Amino acid sequence: MTITLEHIEAEQSRIATLIEQFKNQPKATEYHIDAVTIPLAAGERVAGPIFNDDGTLSHYVILLPADVEEITWSDAKEWAAERGGDLPTRREQSLLFANLKGEFEAAWYWSGEAYEENSGWAWCQYFYDGYQGNYRQSDRFRARAVRRFIPSVI
Protein backbone atom coordinates (compact mmCIF):
# COMPACT_ATOMS: atom_id res chain seq x y z
CA MET A 1 0.00 0.00 0.00
CA THR A 2 1.30 3.36 -0.99
CA ILE A 3 0.77 6.16 1.48
CA THR A 4 -0.48 9.33 -0.14
CA LEU A 5 -1.03 12.83 1.18
CA GLU A 6 -4.76 12.43 0.55
CA HIS A 7 -4.80 9.24 2.67
CA ILE A 8 -2.97 10.96 5.55
CA GLU A 9 -5.31 14.00 5.39
CA ALA A 10 -8.40 11.71 5.40
CA GLU A 11 -7.08 9.84 8.46
CA GLN A 12 -6.24 13.12 10.16
CA SER A 13 -9.79 14.38 9.51
CA ARG A 14 -11.29 11.13 10.84
CA ILE A 15 -9.17 11.31 14.00
CA ALA A 16 -10.02 15.01 14.48
CA THR A 17 -13.72 14.08 14.33
CA LEU A 18 -13.19 11.32 16.92
CA ILE A 19 -11.34 13.73 19.20
CA GLU A 20 -14.16 16.27 18.94
CA GLN A 21 -16.77 13.59 19.70
CA PHE A 22 -14.72 12.49 22.71
CA LYS A 23 -14.49 16.05 24.02
CA ASN A 24 -18.24 16.58 23.62
CA GLN A 25 -19.42 13.39 25.33
CA PRO A 26 -20.96 13.75 28.79
CA LYS A 27 -18.37 14.04 31.49
CA ALA A 28 -18.19 11.50 34.28
CA THR A 29 -19.65 12.95 37.44
CA GLU A 30 -19.81 12.23 41.09
CA TYR A 31 -22.94 12.44 43.16
CA HIS A 32 -22.20 13.74 46.63
CA ILE A 33 -24.71 13.27 49.43
CA ASP A 34 -24.18 15.54 52.38
CA ALA A 35 -24.86 14.19 55.84
CA VAL A 36 -28.17 15.58 57.01
CA THR A 37 -29.91 15.54 60.36
CA ILE A 38 -33.69 15.47 60.08
CA PRO A 39 -35.56 16.38 63.26
CA LEU A 40 -38.51 14.06 63.82
CA ALA A 41 -41.44 14.47 66.19
CA ALA A 42 -42.83 11.43 68.00
CA GLY A 43 -44.30 8.95 65.54
CA GLU A 44 -42.87 10.55 62.41
CA ARG A 45 -41.05 8.41 59.84
CA VAL A 46 -38.65 9.42 57.07
CA ALA A 47 -39.84 8.04 53.73
CA GLY A 48 -36.81 9.23 51.78
CA PRO A 49 -35.64 11.89 49.34
CA ILE A 50 -37.44 13.40 46.38
CA PHE A 51 -35.23 14.60 43.55
CA ASN A 52 -35.73 17.33 40.96
CA ASP A 53 -35.73 16.40 37.28
CA ASP A 54 -32.05 17.39 37.04
CA GLY A 55 -31.14 14.92 39.81
CA THR A 56 -30.63 17.48 42.55
CA LEU A 57 -32.26 16.98 45.93
CA SER A 58 -35.64 18.67 46.33
CA HIS A 59 -36.65 17.57 49.83
CA TYR A 60 -37.16 14.67 52.20
CA VAL A 61 -40.64 13.28 52.80
CA ILE A 62 -41.64 12.83 56.43
CA LEU A 63 -44.73 10.72 57.15
CA LEU A 64 -46.74 12.11 60.03
CA PRO A 65 -48.36 9.75 62.54
CA ALA A 66 -52.03 8.73 62.38
CA ASP A 67 -54.43 8.55 59.51
CA VAL A 68 -58.08 9.24 58.94
CA GLU A 69 -60.59 7.12 57.07
CA GLU A 70 -63.78 7.74 55.11
CA ILE A 71 -63.00 11.36 54.27
CA THR A 72 -63.54 13.47 51.15
CA TRP A 73 -60.60 15.02 49.34
CA SER A 74 -61.19 18.60 50.49
CA ASP A 75 -61.74 17.46 54.09
CA ALA A 76 -58.58 15.33 53.86
CA LYS A 77 -56.55 18.36 52.74
CA GLU A 78 -57.93 20.35 55.66
CA TRP A 79 -57.24 17.45 58.07
CA ALA A 80 -53.61 17.25 56.90
CA ALA A 81 -53.13 21.01 57.27
CA GLU A 82 -54.46 20.87 60.84
CA ARG A 83 -51.63 18.45 61.61
CA GLY A 84 -48.97 20.73 60.16
CA GLY A 85 -48.67 18.83 56.89
CA ASP A 86 -50.12 18.23 53.46
CA LEU A 87 -51.47 15.30 51.54
CA PRO A 88 -48.56 13.72 49.64
CA THR A 89 -48.07 14.23 45.93
CA ARG A 90 -48.39 11.20 43.65
CA ARG A 91 -44.61 11.00 43.45
CA GLU A 92 -44.36 11.11 47.23
CA GLN A 93 -47.03 8.41 47.51
CA SER A 94 -44.92 6.17 45.29
CA LEU A 95 -41.98 6.71 47.65
CA LEU A 96 -44.19 6.00 50.67
CA PHE A 97 -45.40 2.78 49.03
CA ALA A 98 -41.82 1.73 48.26
CA ASN A 99 -40.33 2.53 51.66
CA LEU A 100 -43.11 2.63 54.26
CA LYS A 101 -45.89 0.42 52.88
CA GLY A 102 -46.32 -1.21 56.30
CA GLU A 103 -47.47 2.13 57.73
CA PHE A 104 -50.60 2.00 55.57
CA GLU A 105 -53.73 -0.10 55.41
CA ALA A 106 -54.28 -1.97 52.14
CA ALA A 107 -56.71 0.74 51.05
CA TRP A 108 -57.09 3.86 48.89
CA TYR A 109 -55.41 7.05 50.15
CA TRP A 110 -55.91 10.55 48.80
CA SER A 111 -52.99 12.39 47.22
CA GLY A 112 -52.80 16.17 47.30
CA GLU A 113 -53.09 16.40 43.51
CA ALA A 114 -56.28 17.28 41.69
CA TYR A 115 -56.91 15.40 38.46
CA GLU A 116 -56.05 18.06 35.88
CA GLU A 117 -58.22 16.65 33.08
CA ASN A 118 -61.49 16.59 35.04
CA SER A 119 -62.34 19.12 37.74
CA GLY A 120 -63.93 17.59 40.79
CA TRP A 121 -61.61 14.56 40.63
CA ALA A 122 -58.34 13.89 42.44
CA TRP A 123 -55.57 11.30 42.46
CA CYS A 124 -55.39 8.42 44.95
CA GLN A 125 -53.08 5.51 45.57
CA TYR A 126 -54.06 2.00 46.52
CA PHE A 127 -51.62 0.84 49.18
CA TYR A 128 -52.29 -2.82 48.48
CA ASP A 129 -50.53 -2.88 45.11
CA GLY A 130 -49.35 0.71 44.48
CA TYR A 131 -51.85 1.47 41.72
CA GLN A 132 -52.70 5.15 41.27
CA GLY A 133 -56.05 6.26 39.92
CA ASN A 134 -58.38 9.23 40.02
CA TYR A 135 -61.74 9.44 41.73
CA ARG A 136 -64.41 12.01 42.51
CA GLN A 137 -63.30 14.41 45.21
CA SER A 138 -66.59 13.68 46.98
CA ASP A 139 -65.67 9.99 47.36
CA ARG A 140 -64.46 8.91 50.79
CA PHE A 141 -61.03 7.37 51.21
CA ARG A 142 -58.28 7.29 53.81
CA ALA A 143 -55.61 9.99 54.17
CA ARG A 144 -52.13 10.38 55.64
CA ALA A 145 -50.28 13.65 56.03
CA VAL A 146 -46.66 14.36 55.21
CA ARG A 147 -44.31 17.24 55.75
CA ARG A 148 -41.32 18.15 53.65
CA PHE A 149 -37.86 18.75 55.05
CA ILE A 150 -35.52 20.85 52.96
CA PRO A 151 -31.92 20.72 54.21
CA SER A 152 -30.14 24.06 54.39
CA VAL A 153 -27.36 22.71 52.09
CA ILE A 154 -29.65 22.72 49.05
Side-chain angles (χ1 to χ4, degrees):
M1 172 177 163
T2 304
I3 297 176
T4 64
L5 180 59
E6 291 80 22
H7 178 68
I8 293 171
E9 288 174 338
E11 276 299 299
Q12 184 179 22
S13 176
R14 185 182 69 78
I15 291 172
T17 300
L18 287 174
I19 291 170
E20 195 60 34
Q21 287 174 347
F22 179 81
K23 287 180 180 178
N24 291 331
Q25 70 184 355
K27 305 267 188 279
T29 60
E30 291 181 343
Y31 189 78
H32 179 74
I33 299 173
D34 291 320
V36 63
T37 300
I38 302 172
L40 297 177
E44 291 184 337
R45 301 280 312 272
V46 176
I50 294 289
F51 296 98
N52 297 311
D53 290 339
D54 66 359
T56 59
L57 178 66
S58 172
H59 61 276
Y60 289 90
V61 177
I62 313 300
L63 179 65
L64 302 182
D67 67 352
V68 65
E69 56 183 293
E70 298 296 317
I71 192 168
T72 65
W73 185 66
S74 60
D75 288 345
K77 289 173 53 173
E78 187 176 308
W79 173 86
E82 290 169 358
R83 276 141 192 81
D86 297 296
L87 294 179
T89 65
R90 293 173 61 202
R91 192 175 196 181
E92 291 168 343
Q93 281 186 320
S94 293
L95 181 68
L96 290 163
F97 181 77
N99 294 340
L100 295 177
K101 181 181 176 185
E103 294 289 321
F104 293 82
E105 298 294 323
W108 287 100
Y109 285 80
W110 286 116
S111 86
E113 294 184 37
Y115 182 56
E116 52 289 325
E117 294 180 23
N118 194 348
S119 66
W121 291 63
W123 287 99
C124 303
Q125 179 155 323
Y126 191 37
F127 273 83
Y128 174 73
D129 60 8
Y131 177 77
Q132 293 184 342
N134 52 75
Y135 291 91
R136 287 184 180 87
Q137 293 174 6
S138 60
D139 287 342
R140 294 179 171 273
F141 297 119
R142 297 180 82 96
R144 287 294 297 261
V146 298
R147 68 179 176 88
R148 294 161 185 98
F149 179 78
I150 302 171
S152 59
V153 294
I154 293 180

